[in-house]
Amino acid sequence: MIITLLALHGAVGIGMVATGRRLGRWAFAIAAIAPLAMLAWLATRMSRTLDGRVESQSWEWVPALGVDAAFRLDGFAALMVLIVSGIGLVVLAYSWHYFAPDDPGLGRLAGLLTLFAGAMLAIVLADDLVTLFTGWELTSITSYLLIGNEHDKTQARAAALHALLVTSAGGLVMLAGIVLIGQAAGTFRLSELLGDPPSGTTVSVGLVCIAVGAFTKSAQYPFHAWLPGAMAAPTPVSAYLHSATMVKAGVVLLGRFAPAFASVAPWRPLVLAVGAFTMVVAALRALRQYDLKLLLAHGTVSQLGFLVVLFGSGIPAATTAGIVAIVAHAVFKATLFLVVGIVEHQAGTRDVRLMTPLGPAWLVVKAVLVVAAASMAGIPLCAGFVSKELALSAIDGASFAGHGVVLGAVVAGSALTAGYSARLVWGLLVLPGRLRAGTEEVTVPHPEQDREPAAIGPSAPAAGFVTPVIVLSAATVVLGVWPSLIDRLAGAAASSLAPGASAHLALWHGVNAPLLLTALALAAGGAVFAGRRWIARLLRLGEAIPSGTDVYLGALHGLNRLANRITALVQNGTLTIYVGIVLVTAAVLPGVVLLTSATWPGWPELMGRPAQVPITVVLTAGALAAALVRRRFTAVLFLSTVGYGMAALFVVQGAPDLALTQAAVETVTTVLFVLVLRKLPDRFEKRSSPLTRTLRCAISLAVAAFVFAFAIVARESRVADPVSDQMLERALPDGKGRNVVNVILTDFRGFDTMGEITVLAAAGIGAVALARAGRRRPASPLAPVRPRRPEPAAPAGER
Amino acid sequence: MTRPRRHDPSRVIDLIDSSVQVIFHAVLVASVYLLFAGHNHPGGGFVGGLVAGGGIAVRYITGGIAEVRRLARFRPWTILGLGVLMSTVTAAVPLAFGNAVLESAKSDLDVPVFGSVTVSTVLPFEIGVYLAVVGLVLMVFEAFGDEYTTDPGAPPPSDPSPAASETGGQPERLV
């Protein structure tokens, strides 16, 4: 059933991408079929899953490599399915109002969203590492297409490429890790692998590779910069992919691996250091943003760091906390993105410095924003508070080395999170009014700051536009007030990751260390917000540090320069040099071996049949003449003399088939040569210097000597029976033909023939393309001097 | 009106024109024979295609690229692609029956008039190769070929220089 449901996502998605032009907004309604089916199926399996039972399904994919498309629904997978499909539904409902009804790209967008959802579900349900990797790459590709949805904008295309390059490079590293670990364990099956974890240096290297893959996907430092760039995507896409689901893929993977591998060096120090660093530094960056979406993006990076710490530590209690945090974050961050989307949709900007104050009709939206931001800050009665409490108590109670530092980083990160949550609310609800009244100045003015602001504030959004975010923030409050509601689900999810983990969620745990730490973090967050002017000045110092985008661009430019250098070195464009290198390599490398190891078998008979003599004379004369003449055309004719001579030699040797082919090839190539020669000067351009001429002669002689010696030595060095005997024998019974050459071409070596005609096709396309490219350049030095014939009226490619 | 001189270019071309009509069809028949005979006698799709390519070259001599274009209903790249596709599909079909790639089967049929005819699955593969080669030749003509113009208003062909006549078919004469 799992495979059927995933296939449904694929079918709906591809169908809409291919044909969805006229659907308009109805595309979102059709797209909703897939997540609805998924949720309905999940509902029927929920009670079994909550009891800790798993359901698996697999399909033999590459049996020779032991790779199956294997899926497994356990507690954690069920929770992630709930998030992916649930938030997916909300986002689809929201998109109905977000996009203009007659936008022709909506079918494509909705189709891509569905494809993405299918790929993401494949990741969370995968029980096979190769299957997981496939889903992983599919999410990268759909994310690329979705970020670049407005493909007429350079910025969107660049951001899409950035995300694709970083995540797919990480994906490749991860693939290496998957292979290493799969080989060490002897299986790619996740459940078997985690049940009986392998160990050793190979596994350690593989784990680092997998962690790097997870870091790129989950936007951890130093790979984070693609995520803020990805905000070029339409807001529903940002809310769905780049906050609620796709960026969690790395966290999910870490969560699967950590309980089994956390104690293997260097997993825990690596993951915790990267996660904690990301949590703090990204939160600092978020504090500098005026663009609400960018603020949320940096906040997401920071929160992902938090999740990496929780899931990567491999401690059962932290895993439980991570599960609650992943739910809380998906809900509140999606809400915030969608609210910012509403504001941008109505106000036309998402930069708070240009915003007109929101009127009283915005009350509901404002309330939703405050609730979600409170959850992000970790204020009691919201889901975020519950998760933060659990996290702090888990890390506080852990015993691994350096857990105090991690605890400190998490408290600092939480404080900064509270700070930027306050900045978000203040920026949207307070700052525009104050800017207008002139009672507040921003530290970094917007380039268009002096623009006359609109007199009337943005009109309030339609009720249907706001409903999805109301649903989401209601979930935030319900989970915050009554956290034990998801006790069983969180417990089943936690124990499916880390056996022995349990969840007892409660709003009030008494006055204990975590509560005090939360209070400390909130107070510090308040202080950060209150001292925002001073902090803003401090943070401006950080502009001197190269940002992740700078590093990315630098790496890209460096790579391009390196490629240019290498290309200039190895592809210098001189045919003579290419041919020279090929010939010298062909003669020298085997020639050395021939000289050192082969024994000279003695001269063969001077001639086999008398008819060979005149033919050989013609051949030699033709070859010499072709090398000596100055006109290209004459050279070609002499060359074809050599070719026909070869055909004659084949006839004498009793190979009519070869002779026929040789003669036909020679005829056609000579004709084609003549066609091409008309475009070239009549004579070879210039006499080369004596030095080069000597060099060329030397190379030619070396090649000739080698081929000659090789032919004689090879003939006498046979140790095995020639394969041709077997072919002669089997031609009629196996190949069902009496012409052995033909049977070889079409049967025994049929693959070669297929390859060759594919090369023919490529060569033909290349010839036409080259010729046409040449025709477009009127003043080419190689073009014939006579006037061009008029081009046909229709463009050549469309005939 | 004087009698045309023996070496009047227009007369030579007329002569070529009329003989090409005969030669071309003979060459085509030969190429198709080679294609079908290939499995048991010298020949095959590749050679057959090349011989047909030679025939096409002869037509090009008389009529330029326009004449070559008239030969086939499809564009050269369509023919080339069709050939590659046909060969690939033929190669892959045995997979569907659990056999190895390109595994061939044949059966003897009794056809009236022709007698016993052997039908082999190699044939479609060979036809694919044939089409690919023919397509390639057509494409090269398409790429590098020129129009043959008999338009009296066109600039007269330059007199072949002694050096040019020595090399035989100077292409400039055709333009």
Side-chain angles (χ1 to χ4, degrees):
Chain A
M1 195 61 200
I2 299 175
I3 293 177
T4 316
L5 283 166
L6 293 180
L8 174 72
H9 279 83
V12 171
I14 290 173
M16 280 203 295
V17 170
T19 63
R21 254 163 214 286
R22 294 201 204 124
L23 289 176
R25 293 200 293 202
W26 287 100
F28 296 113
I30 298 172
I33 294 171
L36 276 176
M38 197 74 208
L39 287 175
W41 172 76
L42 187 66
T44 65
R45 292 293 184 278
M46 208 42 158
S47 66
R48 287 163 46 101
T49 309
L50 290 180
D51 291 340
R53 281 185 289 174
V54 297
E55 176 162 335
S56 19
Q57 189 186 11
S58 72
W59 175 69
E60 264 195 7
W61 184 9
V62 193
L65 296 177
V67 173
D68 296 334
F71 300 96
R72 190 166 180 269
L73 179 77
D74 57 10
F76 185 58
L79 181 93
M80 288 309 295
V81 170
L82 204 58
I83 291 178
V84 172
S85 295
I87 306 262
L89 269 184
V90 172
V91 166
L92 288 174
Y94 173 89
S95 300
W96 181 276
H97 287 275
Y98 182 84
F99 292 101
D102 50 351
D103 187 334
L106 293 188
R108 178 176 168 278
L109 185 83
L112 285 173
L113 278 175
T114 314
L115 284 177
F116 162 77
M120 188 67 207
L121 290 169
I123 292 180
V124 301
L125 288 165
D127 192 27
D128 180 281
L129 284 173
V130 179
T131 311
L132 187 145
F133 175 75
T134 312
W136 188 278
E137 293 295 283
L138 282 176
T139 58
S140 289
I141 294 165
T142 42
S143 157
Y144 165 74
L145 294 170
L146 284 167
I147 297 172
N149 187 55
E150 290 163 30
H151 46 78
D152 46 350
K153 290 186 184 157
T154 321
Q155 193 207 354
R157 290 201 307 271
L161 188 63
H162 185 178
L164 182 72
L165 286 180
V166 172
T167 51
S168 58
L172 282 180
V173 176
M174 191 180 92
L175 180 63
I178 287 175
V179 172
L180 286 176
I181 291 182
Q183 289 295 320
T187 176
F188 287 112
R189 195 60 73 94
L190 203 53
S191 48
E192 292 170 13
L193 188 88
L194 298 175
D196 181 18
S199 58
T201 318
T202 320
V203 175
S204 294
V205 176
L207 285 175
V208 172
C209 291
I210 286 188
V212 168
F215 293 158
T216 54
K217 197 77 163 181
S218 286
Q220 298 297 292
Y221 273 73
F223 310 111
H224 65 289
W226 68 266
L227 185 55
M231 295 301 124
T235 299
V237 173
S238 305
Y240 190 35
L241 271 72
H242 305 124
S243 81
T245 56
M246 186 183 90
V247 287
K248 304 269 169 61
V251 176
V252 166
L253 188 68
L254 292 178
R256 289 265 181 216
F257 271 73
F261 291 104
S263 51
V264 177
W267 178 278
R268 194 174 272 154
L270 175 75
V271 170
L272 291 181
V274 169
F277 182 79
T278 305
M279 183 178 183
V280 174
V281 178
L284 282 174
R285 273 202 164 261
L287 276 173
R288 283 170 47 189
Q289 307 303 324
Y290 289 99
D291 182 325
L292 292 173
K293 222 171 148 185
L294 280 185
L295 190 155
L296 289 177
H298 286 288
T300 306
V301 175
S302 165
Q303 291 281 314
L304 287 169
F306 180 46
L307 290 173
V308 164
V309 167
L310 292 178
F311 277 104
S313 66
I315 307 160
T319 305
T320 311
I323 282 165
V324 181
I326 215 170
V327 176
H329 178 256
V331 174
F332 72 68
K333 194 50 74 65
T335 315
L336 290 173
F337 266 108
L338 296 182
V339 165
V340 168
I342 292 176
V343 171
E344 187 190 6
H345 187 266
Q346 305 294 114
T349 178
R350 52 184 205 231
D351 194 306
V352 288
R353 292 167 298 186
L354 302 179
M355 198 84 70
T356 331
L358 302 177
W362 284 76
L363 186 64
V364 180
V365 177
K366 287 176 179 173
V368 164
L369 175 82
V370 171
V371 167
S375 183
M376 180 155 81
I379 290 172
L381 296 183
C382 296
F385 169 75
V386 180
S387 66
K388 209 148 278 185
E389 282 268 87
L390 281 173
L392 290 170
S393 83
I395 299 171
D396 188 36
S399 57
F400 57 83
H403 77 275
V405 180
V406 176
L407 186 66
V410 168
V411 172
S414 303
L416 294 170
T417 304
Y420 71 71
S421 304
R423 181 186 178 86
L424 175 74
V425 174
W426 165 82
L428 195 53
L429 304 188
V430 182
L431 183 67
R434 289 210 186 166
L435 279 179
R436 169 162 284 202
T439 52
E440 177 110 19
E441 296 262 316
V442 287
T443 324
V444 189
H446 190 274
E448 298 172 28
Q449 192 73 69
D450 296 332
R451 194 178 69 177
E452 192 62 34
I456 312 158
S459 60
F465 202 4
V466 187
T467 314
V469 291
I470 296 178
V471 171
L472 281 180
S473 62
T476 297
V477 175
V478 169
L479 290 181
V481 176
W482 191 16
S484 57
L485 192 66
I486 58 163
D487 249 8
R488 282 186 74 199
L489 181 59
S495 61
S496 70
L497 288 183
S502 58
H504 299 289
L505 310 183
L507 182 58
W508 180 248
H509 286 283
V511 179
N512 52 11
L515 185 70
L516 294 177
L517 288 173
T518 306
L520 174 69
L522 285 175
V528 164
F529 177 70
R532 59 182 180 276
R533 313 202 128 269
W534 184 76
I535 284 184
R537 247 169 289 165
L538 199 67
L539 286 178
R540 289 198 74 177
L541 298 177
E543 282 168 18
I545 307 167
S547 72
T549 314
D550 295 338
V551 174
Y552 161 76
L553 288 177
L556 219 56
H557 287 157
L559 212 60
N560 273 340
R561 271 215 302 280
L562 184 71
N564 282 346
R565 291 264 168 83
I566 291 180
T567 312
L569 199 67
V570 298
Q571 302 282 337
N572 55 11
T574 321
L575 187 61
T576 324
I577 290 183
Y578 293 157
V579 175
I581 289 173
V582 170
L583 286 179
V584 168
T585 315
V588 168
L589 289 185
V592 170
V593 182
L594 199 68
L595 280 180
T596 52
S597 57
T599 51
W600 181 250
W603 294 97
E605 280 176 72
L606 196 55
M607 91 180 154
R609 292 183 185 133
Q612 285 171 345
V613 177
I615 297 173
T616 315
V617 170
V618 171
L619 270 178
T620 318
L624 271 177
L628 291 176
V629 294
R630 301 235 184 126
R631 303 194 55 196
R632 290 172 197 272
F633 193 80
T634 328
V636 167
L637 286 188
F638 279 122
L639 217 52
S640 56
T641 313
V642 176
Y644 286 119
M646 287 303 295
L649 215 50
F650 289 142
V651 172
V652 173
Q653 295 296 105
D657 214 337
L658 284 182
L660 184 63
T661 311
Q662 176 73 29
V665 165
E666 215 47 57
T667 312
V668 173
T669 43
T670 307
V671 170
L672 301 185
F673 246 134
V674 170
L675 284 180
V676 178
L677 276 187
R678 298 182 312 156
K679 317 268 176 187
L680 296 177
D682 191 29
R683 291 161 189 273
F684 293 107
E685 270 108 58
K686 57 172 192 235
R687 303 289 284 172
S688 40
S689 70
L691 184 69
T692 26
R693 238 182 307 160
T694 320
L695 194 66
R696 287 183 191 184
C697 285
I699 292 176
S700 310
L701 286 175
V703 173
F706 164 71
V707 172
F708 184 74
F710 177 80
I712 292 177
V713 173
R715 191 169 161 266
E716 300 298 327
S717 327
R718 192 181 286 286
V719 287
D721 286 334
V723 69
S724 51
D725 289 350
Q726 218 186 3
M727 286 176 171
L728 284 170
E729 244 167 60
R730 286 171 43 202
L732 199 52
D734 286 7
K736 290 148 191 115
R738 282 189 292 276
N739 178 354
V740 183
V741 176
N742 189 266
V743 170
I744 292 173
L745 284 179
T746 57
D747 196 318
F748 298 154
R749 296 279 182 272
F751 255 136
D752 295 9
T753 311
M754 263 174 67
E756 279 152 19
I757 60 171
T758 315
V759 171
L760 279 190
I765 293 164
V768 170
L770 271 179
R772 296 211 159 146
R775 275 182 202 174
R776 244 175 268 131
R777 232 178 300 122
S780 160
L782 294 181
V785 283
R786 71 199 141 77
R788 316 242 89 243
R789 71 187 163 85
E791 282 290 318
E798 289 172 8
R799 277 198 308 259
Chain B
M1 180 124 186
T2 55
R3 215 171 145 237
R5 284 189 296 121
R6 245 180 104 205
H7 293 294
D8 182 357
S10 73
R11 217 190 125 204
V12 174
I13 287 175
D14 284 345
L15 195 68
I16 294 175
D17 267 356
S18 43
S19 49
V20 155
Q21 297 298 327
V22 182
I23 295 171
F24 175 70
H25 290 102
V27 168
L28 266 199
V29 169
S31 83
V32 173
Y33 165 76
L34 286 173
L35 164 67
F36 283 92
H39 213 47
N40 293 319
H41 305 283
F46 187 67
V47 184
L50 285 172
V51 170
I56 293 166
V58 177
R59 288 299 282 266
Y60 175 78
I61 291 174
T62 61
I65 185 65
E67 176 99 358
V68 173
R69 285 198 190 123
R70 267 198 297 277
L71 288 178
R73 179 176 304 190
F74 304 103
R75 310 300 312 155
W77 31 91
T78 316
I79 297 174
L80 181 62
L82 205 67
V84 175
L85 189 72
M86 200 160 159
S87 297
T88 317
V89 169
T90 317
V93 161
L95 288 177
F97 298 99
N99 295 330
V101 172
L102 274 166
E103 193 159 314
S104 59
K106 74 160 191 178
S107 65
D108 294 310
L109 295 179
D110 266 332
V111 180
V113 184
F114 288 98
S116 170
V117 172
T118 306
V119 178
S120 169
T121 55
V122 166
L123 196 59
F125 186 79
E126 287 275 69
I127 295 175
V129 174
Y130 180 94
L131 287 177
V133 174
V134 170
L136 175 79
V137 172
L138 287 174
M139 270 180 96
V140 176
F141 278 113
E142 188 71 43
F144 298 106
D146 267 326
E147 301 284 355
Y148 172 85
T149 165
T150 49
D151 181 5
S158 58
D159 246 12
S161 63
S165 62
E166 171 197 302
T167 57
Q170 260 297 338
E172 264 74 16
R173 257 198 275 168
L174 296 180
V175 180

